[in-house]
Amino acid sequence: MSSARPDRHYLLRQRDVPDIHQLEVYRAHGGYEALKQALEANQPDQLVELAKASGLRGRGGAGFPTGMKWSFLPKDGRARVLVINADEGEPGTFKDRELIEGNPHQLIEGMIITCFAIRAPESYVYVRGEFLHGYERLTAAIREAEAAGILGAEVMGHPFAHRMFVYRGAGAYICGEETALLESLEGKRGNPRSKPPFPAVAGLYGRPTVVNNVETIMNLPPLVLKGADWYRQWGTEKSPGLKVMSVSGHVNRPGNYEVPLDWTLAELIEAAGGVRTGHQVKAVIPGGSSMPCMPASQLDTPIDYESLVEAGSMLGSGGCIVMDDSTCIVRAVARVVRFYRNESCGKCTPCREGTYWLTDIMDRLERGDGEMRDLDMLLDVSDNINGKAFCPLGDAAVGFLVSAIKHFRGEFQEHITGQRCPLGARQYDTAIH
Amino acid sequence: MSNQQWPAEWRAWAEEVQATFPNATSSLMPFLHRVRSQQGWLTPEALDAAAELLGMTRQHVDSVVSFYTLFRTEPTGARTIHVCRGLSCMMAGADTLMENLEHHLGIAEGQTTSDGAVTLLEAECLAACDLAPACQVNLVYRGPVAPDAFRELLEMPVEEPPALARRAEQSGAQGAKGVADRE
Ligand SMILES: Cc1cc2nc3c(=O)[nH]c(=O)nc-3n(C[C@H](O)[C@H](O)[C@H](O)COP(=O)(O)O)c2cc1C
Ligand code: SF4
Ligand code: FES
């Protein structure tokens, strides 16, 4: 039995409280109470323990336990840094944008609580370059917090001093990868760094650094106020709590849905208004385009991290893309593979060359010029990228492709034997050459 | 060369970003963003100014600029339209929307109209798939934009960077050069 949907929003609070992006409104609805309580009633280490006890896991993609990540920081007295990843570029994901535009103070509050917990005097938010509105909202909220004595030499009268910076990216998906993000934040090209050293040991400007996603950290204020048991009323033992799922594609009400982590894909799609009348679900990518797709027969899978892995996919960032029976899977794969080719940073050969070849072959298949051996070639090239690339973007590039060939091989073959798309999908052709 | 040759505004911005980001190398991208939003793109002078005012080599500035899609170094229209070509937007008709814009404007994706008014670019997932097909006009979101409703993107009021507006008035010549540069 899945848990019931909560009676209100804990992250997407702007849905319940209009204008909550303003400090005054946020405070009138309990804002910064959690910070006050954290500073007055807790030792930093107790907050790390709270994060661990809640079972909160990173919402940026990898699902790493948040409290554990914080406790990896070396205890060598160097100044620590918190960096918030608001680079949201994973296709199909749009939760962090809505969160920072609509509820920026909760992010700020969560960040200060986290920084108190890990003893970081400085924090940074790396905001995707395209998020102009989100950047402005967040910057305005920080200015409000500074003026109100929530940030600065003292935090709400407590001697804990804190400075917060907002930094804009400039259009590069790879900068969502945490080490590429740190390079970019240092004013360089966004090429991933080799690990080790991990950011916890040598991150931003060589300092011990924690990188966390926007949504992850926005869970802190309600957690501090209500406790780990409250959080665990939703989800499963290993994947507790609420998750903002971005649902898009062929559903009647695309949007962000804050749901318990033990809901099934079918329940989530239902919440998003179901698929268009007269159509059936064909495939779903549950966690952004870097994740394998699942056929309609797997819609009863719960969305917790473990169940999705067992079903052959991953929760990733929670970008759930729903494709109905009108979708040409070959065309969808061609589009996604091209994305990774465009966004490959070019640092390592398997990814740079491999995504180029995959795009080439997929274009050929989409045009109806493919041959049977192209299918083996696709899998072969994928094999040469998977696990062999310098950073996880390589693996991400082939997840959807390989799963699509597994579940919809017949449709790939029809494109070859019929020399056209059986669904009549048309390939985009630029008007002016 | 003395820093005095650069516009007072740029010199002030350089000081401001260096003060904001205590670690000097981090001042480059914020500076470029400010100049970009003023002129719509990064002129060679702007790149020289960044290097000189922030104490970096021009090669370093170029290597950073070339990595990021929002840092354009070609003349760019006063109205820059990004059409998202991501999967969810593609499923909602983004390709047809792009084709309609191309036909109407008489340019291909990546080009600028000969009067320098409009630059048409494709974007990867803009993190607004709930608005599919989603677009941005000078980084302001618009969506869903039905393929036949493409005129919205040309009519929607935008804040025009003053320098851009001036340039668009001055000459179609520079805009046309932008197209030529691409080919
Ligand atoms: C190619 C790539 C893109 C990524 N993009 C993002 C992103 O946009 N936002 C994000 O929070 N994490 C992203 N990640 C994951 C980050 O590297 C990192 O794991 C995450 O920010 C950690 O935060 P969390 O533990 O709170 O999830 C990306 C990873 C890869 C490999
Ligand atoms: S896998 Fe791709 S994105 Fe990652 S380092 Fe290699 S080339 Fe760059
Ligand atoms: S696919 Fe267009 S905004 Fe995500």
Side-chain angles (χ1 to χ4, degrees):
Chain A
M1 241 327 257
S2 348
S3 357
R5 192 166 178 178
D7 57 350
R8 61 192 184 95
H9 293 89
Y10 291 97
L11 300 164
L12 291 164
R13 288 193 69 196
Q14 66 271 31
R15 299 278 182 85
D16 306 330
V17 184
D19 293 331
I20 199 163
H21 65 278
Q22 297 168 4
L23 179 59
E24 203 181 308
V25 178
Y26 185 66
R27 288 194 110 160
H29 289 83
Y32 291 107
E33 289 297 322
L35 175 60
K36 197 156 170 261
Q37 188 176 314
L39 293 170
E40 282 170 4
N42 288 280
Q43 292 302 314
D45 291 345
Q46 287 177 302
L47 293 165
V48 178
E49 289 311 311
L50 171 69
K52 281 188 184 165
S54 71
L56 173 65
R57 295 170 64 167
R59 304 299 194 220
F64 195 83
T66 305
M68 202 190 295
K69 181 183 273 190
W70 299 351
S71 57
F72 286 160
L73 289 164
K75 295 173 183 61
D76 54 10
R78 288 183 296 154
R80 294 156 167 187
V81 193
L82 172 70
V83 175
I84 295 298
N85 191 337
D87 194 47
E88 195 170 54
E90 175 70 18
T93 317
F94 45 92
K95 64 191 177 70
D96 298 337
R97 177 181 56 79
E98 185 172 352
L99 287 168
I100 57 170
E101 285 176 359
N103 193 8
H105 278 291
Q106 188 165 333
L107 174 62
I108 296 169
E109 185 175 10
M111 286 172 69
I112 308 175
I113 294 171
T114 304
C115 288
F116 180 64
I118 64 171
R119 300 176 168 89
E122 276 183 9
S123 58
Y124 292 77
V125 188
Y126 185 98
V127 181
R128 182 172 170 179
E130 287 85 351
F131 290 179
L132 181 59
H133 184 51
Y135 166 76
E136 287 172 348
R137 275 278 168 93
L138 191 58
T139 305
I142 289 173
R143 296 290 100 83
E144 279 184 311
E146 286 168 347
I150 294 168
L151 278 170
E154 285 192 341
V155 169
M156 302 182 90
H158 190 283
F160 173 67
H162 194 74
R163 285 184 75 184
M164 198 173 276
F165 303 89
V166 188
Y167 186 91
R168 293 179 72 191
Y173 165 68
I174 188 60
C175 290
E177 192 280 328
E178 58 185 15
T179 63
L181 182 151
L182 294 173
E183 285 288 290
S184 180
L185 190 39
E186 291 183 5
K188 304 179 206 151
R189 295 167 70 85
N191 291 121
R193 298 175 177 173
S194 53
K195 293 194 252 188
F198 288 90
V201 176
L204 186 65
Y205 313 128
R207 297 183 207 156
T209 304
V210 166
V211 182
N212 270 135
N213 173 258
V214 170
E215 182 190 352
T216 310
I217 293 307
M218 285 182 68
N219 278 289
L220 264 297
L223 250 181
V224 166
L225 290 177
K226 294 165 190 291
D229 288 340
W230 164 81
Y231 195 68
R232 286 187 168 278
Q233 70 181 288
W234 299 290
T236 66
E237 174 64 29
K238 287 185 175 159
S239 301
L242 302 168
K243 170 87 188 84
V244 181
M245 297 293 293
S246 302
V247 189
S248 70
H250 293 137
V251 289
N252 285 313
R253 285 194 305 274
N256 285 315
Y257 292 86
E258 191 174 314
V259 303
L261 268 170
D262 56 355
W263 273 30
T264 64
L265 285 169
E267 285 172 307
L268 180 65
I269 293 169
E270 188 58 38
V275 288
R276 304 179 296 177
T277 31
H279 290 275
Q280 308 282 316
V281 175
K282 175 173 183 167
V284 174
I285 303 177
S289 73
S290 301
M291 302 304 156
C293 69
M294 296 159 68
S297 59
Q298 292 186 315
L299 288 184
D300 286 335
T301 312
I303 60 171
D304 66 283
Y305 296 92
E306 288 69 30
S307 300
L308 284 173
V309 167
E310 214 170 290
S313 188
M314 270 156 85
L315 178 62
S317 56
C320 180
I321 306 170
V322 180
M323 293 170 266
D324 74 15
D325 48 18
S326 69
T327 314
C328 168
I329 211 82
V330 171
R331 187 165 137 88
V333 169
R335 182 70 273 268
V336 167
V337 164
R338 177 179 297 265
F339 167 77
Y340 292 97
R341 185 202 64 181
N342 291 349
E343 298 297 331
S344 164
C345 84
K347 179 170 174 150
C348 69
T349 320
C351 168
R352 187 186 58 239
E353 301 284 318
T355 53
Y356 175 87
W357 285 112
L358 293 178
T359 305
D360 217 46
I361 303 171
M362 286 308 302
D363 273 354
R364 196 150 77 214
L365 285 175
E366 201 191 339
R367 275 201 313 273
D369 294 338
E371 296 171 30
M372 277 303 171
R373 58 182 183 142
D374 284 340
L375 287 185
D376 292 330
M377 201 129 81
L378 285 171
L379 294 174
D380 216 46
V381 176
S382 299
D383 242 16
N384 279 311
I385 302 176
N386 217 353
K388 300 187 178 77
F390 185 79
C391 90
L393 186 141
D395 291 4
V398 303
F400 180 34
L401 165 71
V402 174
S403 63
I405 296 180
K406 178 174 162 206
H407 297 299
F408 302 98
R409 194 178 188 103
E411 197 172 322
F412 280 79
Q413 286 166 338
E414 280 179 71
H415 276 78
I416 297 165
T417 50
Q419 297 183 321
R420 56 190 288 276
C421 173
L423 290 164
R426 196 172 51 92
Q427 191 174 28
Y428 164 78
D429 200 5
T430 183
I432 292 130
H433 291 279
Chain B
M1 249 187 285
S2 109
N3 287 349
Q4 297 305 319
Q5 65 172 310
W6 308 117
E9 214 170 16
W10 290 5
R11 281 184 275 138
W13 289 349
E15 275 176 30
E16 210 181 301
V17 294
Q18 282 174 305
T20 311
F21 290 96
N23 211 307
T25 57
S26 295
S27 59
L28 175 59
M29 287 176 57
F31 179 79
L32 295 174
H33 265 303
R34 292 194 80 160
V35 179
R36 185 199 59 79
S37 67
Q38 179 195 38
Q39 351 179 93
W41 58 291
L42 297 167
T43 54
E45 300 78 61
L47 301 178
D48 281 338
E52 216 172 283
L53 294 171
L54 302 175
M56 298 164 185
T57 63
R58 173 66 199 264
Q59 285 92 317
H60 176 73
V61 172
D62 286 348
S63 84
V64 171
V65 165
S66 64
F67 192 83
Y68 300 94
T69 53
L70 289 181
F71 292 151
R72 287 174 54 83
T73 50
E74 296 156 30
T76 299
R79 179 180 295 260
T80 300
I81 301 177
H82 280 101
V83 178
C84 176
R85 307 293 290 277
L87 179 55
S88 298
C89 287
M90 183 191 89
M91 283 161 44
D95 287 0
T96 311
L97 173 62
M98 181 61 107
E99 286 167 349
N100 288 349
L101 281 162
E102 288 179 327
H103 280 291
H104 181 81
L105 296 169
I107 54 173
E109 179 277 313
Q111 298 179 333
T112 299
T113 53
S114 58
D115 61 358
V118 183
T119 297
L120 183 61
L121 300 170
E122 70 173 16
E124 294 297 353
C125 177
L126 284 168
C129 325
D130 48 341
L131 304 177
C135 299
Q136 284 194 323
V137 181
N138 292 7
L139 299 187
V140 174
Y141 280 103
R142 185 83 173 196
V145 184
D148 290 337
F150 64 88
R151 279 187 186 79
E152 282 180 24
L153 299 168
L154 302 166
E155 287 158 7
M156 141 183 188
V158 287
E159 262 181 75
E160 291 190 12
L164 266 177
R166 261 201 313 282
R167 190 172 56 74
E169 265 167 32
Q170 274 169 10
S171 66
Q174 209 172 12
K177 185 169 163 291
V179 175
D181 281 350
R182 294 280 305 187
E183 289 162 355

